[in-house]
């Protein structure tokens, strides 16, 4: 039924994607039983651990249900929770798709922050940005600090749904952030461009200028996509050290 799995993307991600496609396409219908663990190991050429992790992903996504002593069965179709981590994300095209989504969200978050941020909110943004500048100056990757800066912007909007969405996309984006930061580390002009873009966003929010904040955030994500396009191909294939997942430069 299946072909053997190989390649640089995490095997559990690929197996989960293959099984999910069988379910979404209807080839595995509601009530059908998945092939046994032994059968999947043999057909896909992966270990039992990989199969178990993949099936666990499907269960968490609401696609299947294990039944004690009987096997794993396909559940009825329904509105399922968003699960970007299970979509074989270690490709440039997938990363760029996330950048597009983030651009739509984060330019609005910046605009809302410009109208709603309190002095305490702005103080937290300043601290987060200073921490990011310090991390980069010390040759750190700045991933945690980068995510924290964008998170403080979202938090200042007072919209918990926006906060949770930005936080989720940011966490999924960690691997992609590492890719772009590794690329930027070889280009001082990239490092300085990112720094200036972040400071432009903060300056517009401090000025309580929503249109300027929106424009600065949009320009930042647009340039992030361009920098991703310029990243050396080996950053996308050497995934073991980078743990490349969905994401982008932020």
């Amino acid at each position: 039924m299946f072909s053997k799995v190989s390649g640089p993307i995490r095997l559990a991600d690929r197996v989960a994607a293959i099984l999910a496609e069988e379910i979404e396409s209807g080839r595995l219908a509601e009530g059908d039983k998945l092939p046994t663990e032994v059968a999947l190991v043999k057909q896909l050429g992966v270990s039992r651990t990989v199969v178990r992790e993949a099936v666990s992903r499907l269960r968490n996504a609401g696609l299947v249900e294990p039944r004690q002593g009987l096997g794993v069965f396909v559940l009825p179709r329904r509105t399922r929770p968003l699960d970007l981590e299970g979509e074989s994300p270690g490709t440039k095209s997938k990363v760029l798709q996330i950048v597009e989504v983030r651009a739509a969200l984060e330019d609005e978050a910046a605009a809302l922050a410009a109208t709603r941020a309190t002095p305490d909110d702005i103080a937290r943004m300043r601290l987060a940005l200073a921490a990011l500048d310090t991390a980069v100056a010390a040759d750190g990757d700045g991933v945690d600090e980068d995510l924290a800066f964008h998170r403080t912007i979202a938090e200042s909007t007072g919209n918990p749904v926006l906060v949770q969405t930005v936080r989720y996309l940011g966490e999924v984006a960690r691997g992609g952030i590492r890719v772009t930061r590794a690329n930027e580390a070889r280009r001082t002009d990239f490092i300085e461009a990112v720094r200036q873009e972040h400071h432009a966003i903060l300056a517009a929010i401090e000025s309580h200028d929503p249109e300027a904040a929106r424009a600065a955030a949009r320009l930042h994500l647009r340039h992030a996509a361009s920098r991703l396009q310029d990243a050396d191909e080996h950053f996308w294939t050497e995934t073991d050290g980078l743990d490349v997942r969905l994401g982008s430069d932020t």
Side-chain angles (χ1 to χ4, degrees), residues 51-74:
V51 169
R52 288 170 186 166
E53 184 178 345
V55 171
S56 177
R57 287 180 182 274
L58 298 182
R59 184 180 68 246
N60 292 339
L63 293 174
V64 300
E65 175 186 61
R67 297 176 188 170
Q68 185 65 37
L70 297 176
V72 180
F73 293 82
V74 178

Side-chain angles (χ1 to χ4, degrees), residues 192-221:
E192 179 59 20
V194 174
R195 191 190 71 80
Q196 290 183 8
E197 289 163 19
H198 282 144
H199 281 270
I201 295 170
L202 178 56
I205 292 173
E206 288 180 311
S207 298
H208 300 289
D209 186 337
E211 290 309 312
R214 179 182 285 111
R218 184 182 301 121
L219 183 65
H220 172 50
L221 271 297

Side-chain angles (χ1 to χ4, degrees), residues 4 9 19 31 44-45 60 64 69 76 92 100 111 119 124 142-143 150 159 165 185 196 203 215 219 229 233 241 244:
K4 290 189 177 182
I9 299 172
L19 295 174
L44 295 167
N60 292 339
V64 300
K92 183 185 292 188
E100 290 181 354
R124 282 191 291 273
V143 172
H150 287 277
N159 184 327
T165 305
Q196 290 183 8
L219 183 65
Q229 293 284 13
E233 287 303 318
V244 176

Side-chain angles (χ1 to χ4, degrees), residues 6-74:
S6 62
I9 299 172
R10 290 188 61 200
L11 292 178
D13 292 340
R14 298 194 65 185
V15 170
I18 288 169
L19 295 174
E21 172 59 23
E22 292 296 308
I23 294 169
E24 297 291 352
S25 68
R27 289 187 291 272
L28 282 171
E30 173 186 342
D32 283 353
K33 180 180 176 180
L34 262 61
T36 66
E37 184 177 285
V38 172
L40 288 172
V41 166
K42 183 177 180 180
Q43 291 179 43
L44 295 167
V46 296
S47 68
R48 287 183 177 232
T49 299
V50 168
V51 169
R52 288 170 186 166
E53 184 178 345
V55 171
S56 177
R57 287 180 182 274
L58 298 182
R59 184 180 68 246
N60 292 339
L63 293 174
V64 300
E65 175 186 61
R67 297 176 188 170
Q68 185 65 37
L70 297 176
V72 180
F73 293 82
V74 178

Side-chain angles (χ1 to χ4, degrees), residues 60-202:
N60 292 339
L63 293 174
V64 300
E65 175 186 61
R67 297 176 188 170
Q68 185 65 37
L70 297 176
V72 180
F73 293 82
V74 178
L75 288 173
R77 293 181 64 83
R78 61 181 177 82
T79 301
R80 295 175 178 124
L82 182 64
D83 180 21
L84 298 179
E85 292 182 281
E87 296 185 7
S88 300
T91 64
K92 183 185 292 188
S93 62
K94 183 63 71 175
V95 171
L96 288 170
Q97 289 167 14
I98 286 294
V99 173
E100 290 181 354
V101 175
R102 291 188 60 209
L105 285 173
E106 294 196 22
D107 64 0
E108 185 61 23
L112 290 173
T115 61
R116 299 176 181 177
T118 66
D120 285 345
D121 291 330
I122 291 174
R124 282 191 291 273
M125 290 180 221
R126 288 173 179 161
L127 286 174
L129 191 51
L132 175 55
D133 288 343
T134 299
V136 172
D139 295 325
D141 63 17
V143 172
D144 290 336
E145 294 83 3
D146 197 320
L147 291 172
F149 173 64
H150 287 277
R151 190 163 56 246
T152 58
I153 294 173
E155 288 169 351
S156 72
T157 69
N159 184 327
V161 176
L162 180 59
V163 172
Q164 291 172 23
T165 305
V166 168
R167 180 181 290 120
Y168 174 66
L169 288 175
E171 289 304 316
V172 173
R174 279 181 180 272
I177 294 171
R178 289 193 179 97
V179 169
T180 53
R181 286 204 173 279
N183 183 57
E184 290 161 4
R186 303 185 312 107
R187 294 276 302 271
T188 56
D189 56 330
F190 276 6
I191 294 173
E192 179 59 20
V194 174
R195 191 190 71 80
Q196 290 183 8
E197 289 163 19
H198 282 144
H199 281 270
I201 295 170
L202 178 56

